[in-house]
Amino acid sequence: VKPDHAARPLWVCPDGRIFLESFSAVYKAAYDFLIAIAEPVCRPEVMHEYKLTPHSLYAAVSVGLDTDTILTVLNRLSKTQLPPAIGVYVRQCTTNYGKVKMVLQHNKFFVESANPKILQFLLQDDIVRR
C-alpha cells in the first residue's frame, strides 16, 4: 500500500479487475478515466467494479489514449503499485493499434500498412494474400 493510499481511489488487481471507491475526493476524474479504459461490471453505492478487456483497451487507444498514459494514470490513482501483470496486459492489448488498415476500394478489401514487415507477415497468410 502506498503511503498516501487514503487519497487514491483505485484497487487494481492482477486479473484486470479494478475497484473504485465512489466516496473518494477524486471519484469523478477516476470514473471518467475508467469509463474510457475499462468495462463496468457492477456499480453499487460505495464500491464500483470495472474490468480491463482487450476491447476496452483498444477503444481507449482509438480515442487517443496511449499505452504509457493508461499505465501512468492507473498507477497515479492506485492505492498500491500496479501489478506487473497489468503492465504486460495493457501493452499486449494496445501496442498493435493502427498498424494495419482494411480499405474498401472498388468492392474489394485491401490491407494497408506503413510497416513493410507487417505487410510481409500478412502476405504469408493465404486468405489475406487473395
Side-chain angles (χ1 to χ4, degrees), residues 67-118:
T67 304
D68 290 332
T69 300
I70 293 168
L71 291 172
T72 300
V73 175
L74 271 178
N75 190 51
R76 186 177 309 133
L77 295 172
S78 180
K79 292 178 174 291
T80 61
Q81 289 299 320
L82 286 183
I86 292 298
V88 170
Y89 183 72
V90 170
R91 287 184 200 292
Q92 285 175 342
C93 293
T94 59
T95 55
N96 288 328
Y97 176 79
K99 289 186 178 179
V100 175
K101 293 181 191 176
M102 284 187 63
V103 180
L104 180 63
Q105 292 178 356
H106 308 290
N107 293 327
K108 287 186 177 182
F109 283 103
F110 294 89
V111 177
E112 292 182 350
S113 177
N115 188 326
K117 288 182 182 180
I118 291 174

Side-chain angles (χ1 to χ4, degrees), residues 2-107:
K2 293 177 181 173
D4 61 346
H5 65 89
R8 299 170 187 254
L10 299 184
W11 293 94
V12 181
C13 303
D15 65 358
R17 290 182 305 146
I18 301 172
F19 295 92
L20 168 62
E21 297 173 340
S22 62
F23 51 85
S24 169
V26 292
Y27 165 79
K28 179 66 174 139
Y31 169 81
D32 289 344
F33 176 69
L34 285 179
I35 288 298
I37 68 160
E39 295 182 18
V41 174
C42 64
R43 296 187 286 188
E45 189 173 328
V46 178
M47 190 74 69
H48 297 186
E49 181 181 355
Y50 296 83
K51 177 79 173 162
L52 293 173
T53 67
H55 291 105
S56 68
L57 290 166
Y58 184 84
V61 175
S62 73
V63 296
L65 292 173
D66 63 41
T67 304
D68 290 332
T69 300
I70 293 168
L71 291 172
T72 300
V73 175
L74 271 178
N75 190 51
R76 186 177 309 133
L77 295 172
S78 180
K79 292 178 174 291
T80 61
Q81 289 299 320
L82 286 183
I86 292 298
V88 170
Y89 183 72
V90 170
R91 287 184 200 292
Q92 285 175 342
C93 293
T94 59
T95 55
N96 288 328
Y97 176 79
K99 289 186 178 179
V100 175
K101 293 181 191 176
M102 284 187 63
V103 180
L104 180 63
Q105 292 178 356
H106 308 290
N107 293 327

